Amino acid sequence: MTKFDEATQAIRVDESTYDVCLDPGYSIGGPLNGGYLMAVILRAVVDASPHEHPVTTSAQFLRAPQAGPARVRLEQIKTGRTATMTRATLIQGDTSFIETLVTTATLAEVAPDWTDGPSAAMPPVEDCVKLPDPKPESNMTFNAQIDMAFDPPTIGWLDGNPTGRPEGRAYFRMAEPQDPDPYVLALAVDALPPVVFSAGARGWAPTVDLTWHLRALPAPGWLTLLGSGRMISDGWFDEEVEVWDSAGRLVAQSRQLARVGRG
C-alpha cells in the first residue's frame, strides 16, 4: 500500500457509512486539493458497489473540509447489471462539505472504436520544467505528493509573463512510485494550477462544481494533463482537462466551474 492509498483509505462502518481521515499532506495553502477529496469519496463508493470502477463523478464543493477525521455517507440510488448510481456525501461533525453523484461500472481492456487526438501537443518531458518548491510557510504540502513537469509557456505567470489565455499543460505522476489507477486519475484532473493563472489571475480559485469521467484504465508511466478554459466572466471561470496515458490513450476528462482567485 502506497502513502496515497493510505491517505485515501475508507473504512467500512456499515453499508452506508465509511470512516476516513483527511490527510494534511494534500493541502494547497490551507484547503485540501479537490481531486484528493474526490479520491477519498470514491474509495468508499467503489468498496460498496458491485462494480469496480468510478466511470463518472459529479461533485459539488459546498465548503472546504479540514484535515482530520470525517465520514462518507452513501445512498445507493440504482443498481443494475452494468452500472450502479450512488449519492455520496463527505461529512465532518454534522456538516456536509462535498455532495457527489457517482456511477460505477466495470471497464474492460479494449481498444476504442474511435477517438480524437489530444487538444494540444506537448514537448518531450525532458524539455519541460518543474515549479519551484513552495515556501514552508505557504502550507503547500500537495506539491510534495506529486511530480509534475510543465510545458514552459503555460507557467510564464511565475515570472509575470502569462500567455493571456486560460491554459495549463504538464506531465504528471505520483512522487512515490505508483502505477496510475482511477483514484490517481481523480487527483490528476484537479492537479494543474488554475488555468486562469495563465490569463493573468492569481490567488486561490475555489472549485464549485467538478465533473469527471474515467474513459479507460491507464497504462503505467507518466500521465499527460492538457487544461484549457472557454470563458472568464464576472468572477467565474471554467476549466477542462484531458488526461492521456503513456500509451497515448485518453483515460480521463473533466470540467469544472470555479471562482476567480482573490489576491
Side-chain angles (χ1 to χ4, degrees):
M1 180 178 289
T2 66
K3 291 179 180 178
F4 178 67
D5 293 337
E6 292 178 356
T8 56
Q9 188 175 19
I11 300 173
R12 188 179 189 273
V13 177
D14 56 43
E15 62 182 12
S16 62
T17 309
Y18 283 74
D19 281 343
V20 299
C21 188
L22 305 181
D23 194 313
Y26 293 82
S27 168
I28 51 173
L32 298 173
N33 173 264
Y36 163 71
L37 295 170
M38 287 194 299
V40 171
I41 294 169
L42 292 176
R43 291 281 189 190
V45 172
V46 172
D47 185 78
S49 172
H51 304 290
E52 296 181 20
H53 307 123
V55 294
T56 183
T57 301
S58 181
Q60 296 280 330
F61 292 82
L62 309 179
R63 46 187 65 86
Q66 301 296 312
R71 302 188 310 280
V72 178
R73 183 179 62 211
L74 305 179
E75 177 190 354
Q76 197 170 96
I77 299 171
K78 179 185 177 182
T79 188
R81 184 174 60 86
T82 59
T84 294
M85 292 77 170
T86 303
R87 178 178 289 110
T89 307
L90 182 70
I91 301 169
Q92 279 187 324
D94 296 322
T95 302
S96 298
F97 284 80
I98 302 174
E99 292 278 2
T100 69
L101 288 174
V102 183
T103 298
T104 49
T106 300
L107 298 181
E109 292 281 1
V110 296
D113 298 324
W114 181 90
T115 184
D116 200 1
S119 61
M122 280 285 285
V125 66
E126 58 268 20
D127 294 335
C128 292
V129 298
K130 297 185 178 182
L131 293 178
D133 291 334
K135 297 177 181 178
E137 63 270 21
S138 69
N139 197 27
M140 286 285 294
T141 57
F142 178 63
N143 294 46
Q145 313 302 327
I146 60 174
D147 188 7
M148 296 184 75
F150 291 84
D151 190 4
T154 68
I155 55 170
W157 47 267
L158 275 174
D159 301 319
N161 295 300
T163 63
R165 300 182 301 275
E167 60 183 355
R169 295 184 293 274
Y171 294 101
F172 172 97
R173 63 186 178 187
M174 301 302 295
E176 180 183 14
Q178 175 175 0
D179 289 340
D181 61 16
Y183 308 104
V184 171
L185 291 179
L187 189 70
V189 297
D190 196 38
L192 286 169
V195 294
V196 288
F197 284 9
S198 283
R202 299 300 291 268
W204 178 48
T207 300
V208 175
D209 173 271
L210 192 157
T211 296
W212 79 278
H213 308 306
L214 171 66
R215 304 307 313 276
L217 300 178
W222 285 99
L223 299 170
T224 301
L225 313 184
L226 305 176
S228 62
R230 300 297 298 275
M231 186 169 74
I232 305 167
S233 177
D234 196 26
W236 297 86
F237 74 96
D238 60 89
E239 178 174 308
E240 298 182 8
V241 175
E242 305 168 14
V243 184
W244 297 79
D245 72 0
S246 61
R249 296 180 303 168
L250 179 67
V251 292
Q253 298 165 280
S254 72
R255 172 176 282 182
Q256 65 174 283
L257 185 67
R259 296 290 291 167
V260 175
R262 298 180 295 276

